[in-house]
Amino acid sequence: MNRLPLSHSGISQFEACPLRFKSERIDKIKGTPSLPMVKGSFAHEVTDQYFKHLVKSGQPSDFKMIESLAHIAWINRGNSPEWGLIPEADFDEMMGLFYAIREDCIIDPKRVVASDQGASFNEKWEPVGWDHKDVFFRARIDRLELGDDLVAKVWDLKTGRRIDRDANTPQMRRYAFVTSLILPEAVKIEAELYYPRKRAAYSVAFAPGEVAGVKDEIVRVSDQVEAMRAKGVWPAKPNFLACRDCPVFARCPEKVALEGKAKPARSRGEADRLVQKWLMLTRDLEETKCLLKEYVDMSGGVQTSGMIADYSVSHRLSWDTERLYKVLEGEGLNPLRFLRGDPTAISKEVGKNAKLKAQLEPITKDKASTSFTLKRCDDEDDE
């Protein structure tokens, strides 16, 4: 029997929770992807199309094209069961990612070896087809480059909000190792993480020999997978990331064991169980919120027991500091009280001064946003 194919995401999933790994990778039970994952998939697809266009046209950038690709993908996202999950209200957020990418990601098209490069290898680390029966390890690289100086670059797009400033991560070491197999002539490999939300990039350089040991790390994980596979025993490890969108969470043996009334912890072991129960309840709460949100999206808010579950509107006001200073000074107010643009303080002052309100309206920017909340029926929207 061949070993189960692994990838970076597969290894991460196995290390987080072997039972979930087994459910998704062997039993093929898939969970509903989280919204951040869906947004990341959408951004990766548009970015890949953009890079392929730049390489084909020989351009370092094309601002109009990435905006056009993004808008077309957005309009057609409803044709995808996955991308259709992105709500219309998130349009500005997604476009912001592409505006950052187009300004930060100026490339040399002659250096680009491939965009969205898929690579797969057998146990002898020989290249094979992506779906070949002997596949042992797979990797998909967002962008791969090689210059005349034989310096290879593996670039990875990170659309999440969490930033890892150290690019020397397990993922980038694995990708650098795969790069050494794809481009054996490379004398150095640069691995770069790019975060469009923060307009930040972090990189690390490896010599090919420095990542050669990655193959042994992969084999060690594979040995653990095969040992569990042979015994048919896949332990569950409750943790927030693994449980959050787990497809078999409802019948997870750890969840069943933790059900029932919580009791005070009188030992470290009992405290550990309380932490695990907290994680499980958090996962249950998130699932309940998602199901309720689906109903509210179609039928409107739900009011019961003095509470209402609905979308709440928040208003974020901002002003140009120089113009705000002049208006306040002209009204005989101390601008230093409002210099930070405190919307609450300014709103209170506007409520007492109609002339000030009229002068501020032309320079006020109001960016309204919505969030799904459960609150008391008499609560007002945030201002």
Side-chain angles (χ1 to χ4, degrees):
M1 184 184 301
N2 290 347
R3 290 175 178 252
L4 287 173
L6 293 178
S7 63
H8 169 71
S9 61
I11 290 174
S12 298
Q13 191 177 72
F14 174 77
E15 291 176 337
C17 180
L19 180 61
R20 177 166 183 176
F21 173 88
K22 186 253 187 186
S23 300
E24 294 205 15
R25 307 283 167 159
I26 299 178
D27 301 336
K28 307 299 181 184
I29 303 173
K30 297 294 184 181
T32 302
S34 65
L35 186 56
M37 290 179 62
V38 172
K39 290 179 180 179
S41 171
F42 182 86
H44 277 77
E45 175 62 25
V46 173
T47 304
D48 174 48
Q49 292 180 23
Y50 176 57
F51 286 151
K52 283 182 167 63
H53 162 75
L54 294 183
V55 172
K56 185 175 181 179
S57 59
Q59 300 179 81
S61 65
D62 188 338
F63 282 17
K64 290 184 178 180
M65 177 55 73
I66 189 171
E67 189 168 359
S68 175
L69 291 171
H71 277 81
I72 291 172
W74 182 262
I75 292 170
N76 295 325
R77 76 189 190 285
N79 298 328
S80 165
E82 180 182 339
W83 295 343
L85 297 173
I86 307 176
E88 189 69 31
D90 291 347
F91 173 80
D92 288 344
E93 175 192 346
M94 296 306 298
M95 291 305 113
L97 296 180
F98 298 122
Y99 295 153
I101 290 169
R102 74 179 186 178
E103 293 170 15
D104 295 341
C105 301
I106 311 300
I107 68 170
D108 180 352
K110 295 180 180 179
R111 289 179 57 98
V112 178
V113 175
S115 175
D116 193 27
Q117 170 75 42
S120 48
F121 305 89
N122 60 21
E123 289 186 59
K124 297 180 180 179
W125 298 103
E126 300 167 337
V128 295
W130 188 262
D131 294 315
H132 194 277
K133 63 181 181 64
D134 293 330
V135 169
F136 172 58
F137 187 78
R138 295 188 181 103
R140 188 166 291 280
I141 296 172
D142 292 341
R143 193 176 79 233
L144 187 60
E145 301 179 5
L146 182 67
D148 293 336
D149 54 1
L150 298 183
V151 174
K153 180 178 180 179
V154 52
W155 180 90
D156 197 59
L157 175 63
K158 296 294 185 184
T159 58
R161 300 179 188 279
R162 176 182 175 274
I163 286 185
D164 191 338
R165 290 178 170 81
D166 184 4
N168 190 3
T169 64
Q171 179 186 19
M172 299 313 285
R173 291 183 66 83
R174 288 164 188 156
Y175 282 8
F177 167 63
V178 168
T179 299
S180 72
L181 299 178
I182 298 174
L183 301 172
E185 66 271 34
V187 297
K188 185 169 71 171
I189 301 166
E190 294 179 352
E192 181 176 294
L193 301 173
Y194 171 64
Y195 299 88
R197 290 184 187 276
K198 302 297 182 183
R199 307 290 298 272
Y202 302 94
S203 62
V204 63
F206 301 103
E210 290 181 295
V211 292
V214 169
K215 67 173 65 176
D216 296 326
E217 297 172 8
I218 295 172
V219 170
R220 280 196 294 271
V221 175
S222 179
D223 288 343
Q224 295 172 19
V225 169
E226 296 307 317
M228 291 186 188
R229 188 183 182 194
K231 295 179 180 178
V233 177
W234 302 85
K237 294 181 179 179
N239 67 86
F240 181 73
L241 292 178
C243 296
R244 185 170 53 187
D245 52 358
C246 176
V248 294
F249 178 78
R251 59 180 185 274
C252 174
E254 287 289 340
K255 178 181 185 247
V256 173
L258 291 168
E259 287 177 340
K261 186 177 180 180
K263 299 178 181 179
R266 303 190 185 283
S267 68
R268 175 54 188 269
E270 291 175 352
D272 288 345
R273 301 297 283 179
L274 286 179
V275 171
Q276 293 173 3
K277 185 178 182 66
W278 185 5
L279 292 169
M280 293 296 190
L281 291 173
T282 301
R283 164 59 173 77
D284 263 344
L285 180 62
E286 283 208 341
E287 185 177 70
T288 301
K289 182 178 178 180
C290 288
L291 294 173
L292 181 57
K293 186 177 178 181
E294 289 178 6
Y295 176 86
V296 172
D297 285 344
M298 296 184 292
S299 306
V302 179
Q303 183 174 331
T304 182
S305 304
M307 305 292 288
I308 183 168
D310 202 350
Y311 287 94
S312 177
V313 180
S314 298
H315 297 278
R316 192 174 69 186
L317 306 180
S318 63
W319 302 267
D320 177 84
T321 303
E322 185 175 348
R323 296 175 70 183
L324 176 63
Y325 190 101
K326 291 180 179 179
V327 169
L328 294 171
E329 193 175 42
E331 285 299 304
L333 299 171
N334 180 5
L336 297 179
R337 286 181 53 211
F338 309 94
L339 200 57
R340 294 182 180 178
D342 180 357
T344 302
I346 295 178
S347 295
K348 288 180 179 179
E349 197 67 39
V350 163
K352 299 183 293 184
N353 189 331
K355 184 180 177 182
L356 176 62
K357 179 180 180 181
Q359 291 188 70
L360 286 181
E361 280 182 349
I363 66 171
T364 300
K365 294 181 180 180
D366 181 0
K367 187 172 183 180
S369 60
T370 60
S371 57
F372 189 70
T373 59
L374 178 66
K375 61 182 183 179
R376 293 179 61 88
C377 294
D378 56 357
D379 285 350
E380 298 293 334
D381 288 339
D382 296 331
E383 293 295 336

